[in-house]
């Protein structure tokens, strides 16, 4: 399984001004560095929490359809919309799995696609790898105000860890605080 970023977020959950305020930076000399730190901190927190924060288009790539009746989005909830499910046969011919075959469960803690009653995954011989591609829109929304405050504070702590030097005991406390904030809604794949 792989997750490809098709369209990355167009905005970050923390603005440059907020970041500079929390880092106690005046002036514009470090703006490019700080923008990079914001992105790095968001990505680190997304990976730790197995969630996506800002609206982005992703493609979940699987070698085959699952054995059960659902495809679970462990690493990319919250999902706003499932755009398509495509699959490829052994001759690399592309097929679109019709939307009438499944329901997108966008209300659960971990989102998923579930087969409708009486429907089945295609049974034709699939190509040996990367045979199923689920295109989806993920994230809490297009504006930073949609992102939970606990996540924003975790991003700020991670950004501070990247920007400043801390004594080992201070660093450990910041890491523990960041992890505690992210653990509240962390998705742990089964």
């Amino acid at each position: 399984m792989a997750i490809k970023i098709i369209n990355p977020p167009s905005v970050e959950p923390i603005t440059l001004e907020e970041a500079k305020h929390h880092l106690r930076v005046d002036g514009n000399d470090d703006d490019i560095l700080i923008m990079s730190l914001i992105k790095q901190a968001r990505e680190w927190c997304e990976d730790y929490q197995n969630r996506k924060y800002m609206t982005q288009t992703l493609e979940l790539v699987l070698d085959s359809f699952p054995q059960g009746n659902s495809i679970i989005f462990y690493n990319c909830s919250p999902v706003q919309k499932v755009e398509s499910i495509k699959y490829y046969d052994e001759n690399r011919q592309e097929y679109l799995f019709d939307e009438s075959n499944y329901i997108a469960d966008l209300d659960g803690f971990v989102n998923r696609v579930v087969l409708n009653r009486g429907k089945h995954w295609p049974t034709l011989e699939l190509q040996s790898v990367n045979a199923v591609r689920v295109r989806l829109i993920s994230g809490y929304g297009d504006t930073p105000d949609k992102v939970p405050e606990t996540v924003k504070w975790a991003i700020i702590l991670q950004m501070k860890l990247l920007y400043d030097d801390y004594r080992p005991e201070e660093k450990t406390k910041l890491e523990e605080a960041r992890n505690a904030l992210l653990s509240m809604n962390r998705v742990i794949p089964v």
Side-chain angles (χ1 to χ4, degrees), residues 76-169:
C76 42
S77 291
V79 173
Q80 297 174 24
K81 177 184 179 185
V82 175
E83 288 191 332
S84 66
I85 300 176
K86 294 180 181 178
Y87 57 100
Y88 300 83
D89 69 15
E90 61 187 331
N91 297 316
R92 298 184 181 167
Q93 175 69 40
E94 180 182 279
Y95 299 89
L96 180 65
F97 192 60
D98 193 84
E99 289 181 45
S100 65
N101 292 318
Y102 63 88
I103 297 171
D105 173 11
L106 307 181
D107 296 323
F109 180 69
V110 178
N111 304 131
R112 61 194 174 143
V113 165
V114 181
L115 288 171
N116 272 325
R117 282 200 167 82
K119 302 294 183 178
H120 304 281
W121 300 119
T123 55
L124 63 107
E125 190 68 33
L126 298 174
Q127 69 184 28
S128 54
V129 295
N130 304 328
V132 179
R133 294 176 179 269
V134 183
R135 181 76 57 105
L136 52 101
I137 308 291
S138 189
Y140 290 106
D142 292 325
T143 57
D145 64 318
K146 306 266 184 181
V147 178
E149 284 298 312
T150 54
V151 168
K152 287 183 179 183
W153 278 103
I155 291 170
I156 289 166
L157 292 174
Q158 176 62 18
M159 191 179 52
K160 289 171 77 74
L161 286 163
L162 292 169
Y163 187 75
D164 291 323
D165 287 330
Y166 293 97
R167 293 192 311 266
E169 62 275 4

Side-chain angles (χ1 to χ4, degrees), residues 6-19:
I6 305 302
N7 294 317
S10 60
V11 296
E12 293 293 340
I14 305 295
T15 66
L16 177 62
E17 292 74 29
E18 288 174 305

Side-chain angles (χ1 to χ4, degrees), residues 5 51 67 89 106 115 137 175 177 181:
I5 298 171
R51 291 194 163 283
Q67 294 296 323
D89 69 15
L106 307 181
L115 288 171
I137 308 291
E175 290 170 340
L181 289 167

